[in-house]
Amino acid sequence: MNDWDVVLRGGRVIDPESGLDEVRDVAVRGSTVEEIGSGLPQGRAELDVAGLVVTAGFVDMHSHSSDIAGLRLQALDGVTTALELEAGVTPVAAAYRNAAAEGRPVNYGFAASWALARMEAVAGITLDGRLGTFLANIGSAAWQRPAAPAEVTALLARLAADLADGALGIGVLVGYAPGAGPDEYLRVAGLAAEAGAPTFTHARDLIEMVPRAVIDGAEEIVRAAGQTGAHMHYCHVNSTSQRHIGRVLGLVGRAQAAGARVTTEAYPYGSGMTGIGAAFLAPERLAERGLTPSSLTYARTGERVASAARLRELRQADPGGLAIVELLDEDDPADRELLMRSLTFPGAVVASDAMPLTWTGPAPDPLTWPLPATAITHPRTAGTFSRALRLLTRDGGQLSLAEALGKCSLAPARLLADRVPAMARKGRLQPGSDADIVVLDPATVTDRASYADSTRPSAGIRHVLVNGSFMVRDGDIVAGALPGRPVRAA
Ligand SMILES: [Zn+2]
């Protein structure tokens, strides 16, 4: 008998860093993995995991899930750390306070938000450390216009203050503010480079979509890395690139070969989801992306948007209301191939772009479980990681299980390690690692959420521990468990 809190007995332990892939016991004390070995003595609690894979929990670099319900769906998909990096939330100190006060099923962390800092500096909007403020104002032209020099200075000061407060980097939703100038973008990258912090960009329109654009969205990211030396992370290459994924990845690959720090991520779905009031969803702009109003499904009512007039009405009434946007056709083999290219691109990490849940009725108590049928989201919230594992290792994919798991855990942890020392203990399953652990069945792990049934949890994820506490046990949520802790920069 040892003083370990729990021993996971006899599972196939895969550590993507060391290459360990053997049947072993894993002993956890407190929030730390203490020992991995064969025939370990008993701990206070024992769990037989024979026949299952035991590996590091997944680190999601792109989660807008700011509610307990959405994060529970992510935990059921193997996620143990969900970071809001692309949009970011400003002020970050308030975002961390809010999360700590409400409790979180998984570990959480935030980048500073260029969009919110811009809303404050350019449009005088009051910030509260919540993403909802961004969504509520997403469609307002006031924050999308070119900024005067003093306004750029003010927003850079806000971002610098967030970085000093432990923000994990700077999220740059430049694609949502067409009036923001390329010089402003370079100054944000320059600030990040000075602070040794990464940036996370939702790219501007590509030149193929808007031939008269001030700069191509992909070129802008790559150029900023080259000119400022900043680490530029290119968010969801699959969705902002649409059928130009090959061109964008070629550009990124050349920049990487030339020594620029550009990294990428993808999620394995053909549709996106965002606030219906986004600038690029204006009826007169849909054709740029080959879309029509009926490419959009408004989540709150489930309606396919019938006409440009109805789209205008919805954008006016509920600009932050979320809509599914069909970008690639998941039934078309050529489009599926593009999604696989974005996932298998060397170094690309799996990241979900998980969304806050939309309620078609009154929002229930935050701890209500199972979720009522009034919860709607994009299936990527519940299914990204299981779906990626299935596609990469079984249904057509050529990756080994360890390689695919590495894209979900080790690769994102490494990507963030320079700025976030805590990442050295995540994304690995080794003595001394944080006890963020997922136990899964590699033969059956799969997404089950669909566009029609968007909150259906993944299958094959048997147990999930976050900081040594069970968040998921025997495939279901542990009632009341909120073991998530903050992840901050040093
Ligand atoms: Zn985005």
Side-chain angles (χ1 to χ4, degrees):
M1 184 83 173
N2 202 294
D3 67 344
W4 294 319
D5 292 305
V6 60
V7 175
L8 305 173
R9 182 77 60 191
R12 176 184 165 194
V13 175
I14 298 183
D15 172 41
E17 187 170 59
S18 64
L20 175 71
D21 183 349
E22 299 283 346
V23 172
R24 292 280 188 275
D25 305 328
V26 176
V28 172
R29 185 191 295 120
S31 58
T32 306
V33 175
E34 287 283 330
E35 200 162 331
I36 298 176
S38 299
L40 294 185
Q42 280 208 327
R44 272 191 277 274
E46 291 275 319
L47 192 64
D48 178 4
V49 293
L52 300 171
V53 161
V54 183
T55 191
F58 306 149
V59 176
D60 188 0
M61 291 181 50
H62 193 145
S63 172
H64 307 298
S65 281
S66 48
D67 44 6
I68 289 168
L71 289 168
R72 281 172 158 175
L73 290 175
Q74 290 214 261
L76 286 163
D77 198 34
V79 172
T80 52
T81 299
L83 306 175
E84 167 58 277
L85 301 180
E86 180 226 30
V89 188
T90 287
V92 284
Y96 281 104
R97 264 198 313 275
N98 294 339
E102 293 160 13
R104 290 287 182 263
V106 302
N107 301 311
Y108 53 91
F110 306 93
S113 172
W114 167 82
L116 282 166
R118 197 170 209 279
M119 284 179 169
E120 178 183 55
V122 174
I125 290 164
T126 303
L127 307 183
D128 59 357
R130 296 203 184 263
L131 182 68
T133 304
F134 168 73
L135 286 171
N137 294 285
I138 192 172
S140 154
W143 80 278
Q144 300 172 13
R145 64 171 171 80
E151 292 166 340
V152 174
T153 303
L155 76 87
L156 290 172
R158 174 59 101 174
L159 295 174
D162 268 355
L163 290 174
D165 266 350
L168 305 185
I170 305 176
V172 195
L173 293 172
V174 70
Y176 286 83
D183 289 355
E184 179 182 331
Y185 185 80
L186 282 173
R187 289 191 63 190
V188 173
L191 171 69
E194 242 169 70
T199 66
F200 311 92
T201 299
H202 177 120
R204 216 189 274 274
D205 303 317
L206 297 184
I207 208 87
E208 292 92 339
M209 302 167 183
V210 183
R212 291 177 311 160
V214 284
I215 185 168
D216 172 66
E219 292 276 0
E220 179 171 49
I221 293 172
V222 164
R223 182 182 80 164
Q227 285 193 9
T228 69
H231 172 188
M232 307 298 293
H233 181 72
Y234 199 134
C235 294
H236 49 42
V237 162
N238 56 295
S239 65
T240 38
S241 311
Q242 283 182 269
R243 296 196 172 88
H244 311 292
I245 285 172
R247 197 266 290 176
V248 168
L249 290 177
L251 179 67
V252 168
R254 286 193 300 281
Q256 290 172 336
R261 270 205 91 188
V262 186
T263 52
T264 65
E265 61 171 56
Y267 60 83
Y269 294 87
S271 293
M273 185 183 227
T274 192
I276 201 164
F280 52 83
L281 296 180
E284 63 278 10
R285 293 197 52 195
L286 290 180
E288 293 167 359
R289 284 171 169 68
L291 307 177
T292 65
S294 68
S295 309
L296 276 62
T297 303
Y298 178 59
R300 199 174 302 281
T301 59
E303 72 185 270
R304 235 173 224 282
V305 179
S307 65
R310 178 61 178 151
L311 178 54
R312 273 189 202 97
E313 198 173 277
L314 289 168
R315 285 165 60 81
Q316 181 70 35
D318 184 21
L322 297 175
I324 303 264
V325 186
E326 281 176 16
L327 299 165
L328 294 175
D329 180 358
E330 289 167 23
D331 296 326
D332 177 341
D335 280 5
R336 280 207 305 272
E337 172 60 26
L338 285 174
L339 288 175
M340 287 303 278
R341 275 176 77 180
S342 67
L343 275 180
T344 56
F345 183 70
V349 311
V350 176
S352 74
D353 205 354
M355 298 306 283
L357 300 186
T358 295
W359 298 99
T360 58
D365 180 274
L367 287 169
T368 302
W369 192 264
L371 284 180
T374 49
I376 303 288
T377 186
H378 187 297
R380 71 192 183 198
T381 305
T384 289
F385 289 87
S386 298
R387 183 176 172 93
L389 290 177
R390 171 171 66 78
L391 293 172
L392 290 171
T393 66
R394 300 205 306 269
D395 293 356
Q398 307 290 323
L399 296 195
S400 71
L401 183 59
E403 287 169 329
L405 291 169
K407 280 184 169 289
C408 303
S409 55
L410 180 64
R414 278 191 173 152
L415 200 155
L416 294 166
D418 287 352
R419 172 74 180 165
V420 191
M423 283 298 149
R425 299 186 307 275
K426 298 194 183 296
R428 290 118 171 129
L429 190 57
Q430 300 165 8
S433 301
D434 291 341
D436 296 340
I437 301 172
V438 57
V439 180
L440 59 86
D441 179 354
T444 61
V445 66
T446 187
D447 55 304
R448 293 190 305 165
S450 65
Y451 295 101
D453 190 358
S454 59
T455 61
R456 201 165 171 218
S458 293
I461 305 282
R462 202 65 61 82
H463 312 290
V464 177
L465 288 87
V466 177
N467 299 308
S469 296
F470 279 93
M471 183 61 229
V472 172
R473 187 146 191 172
D474 299 318
D476 202 3
I477 290 296
V478 174
L482 295 169
R485 293 182 188 170
V487 175
R488 288 180 99 128

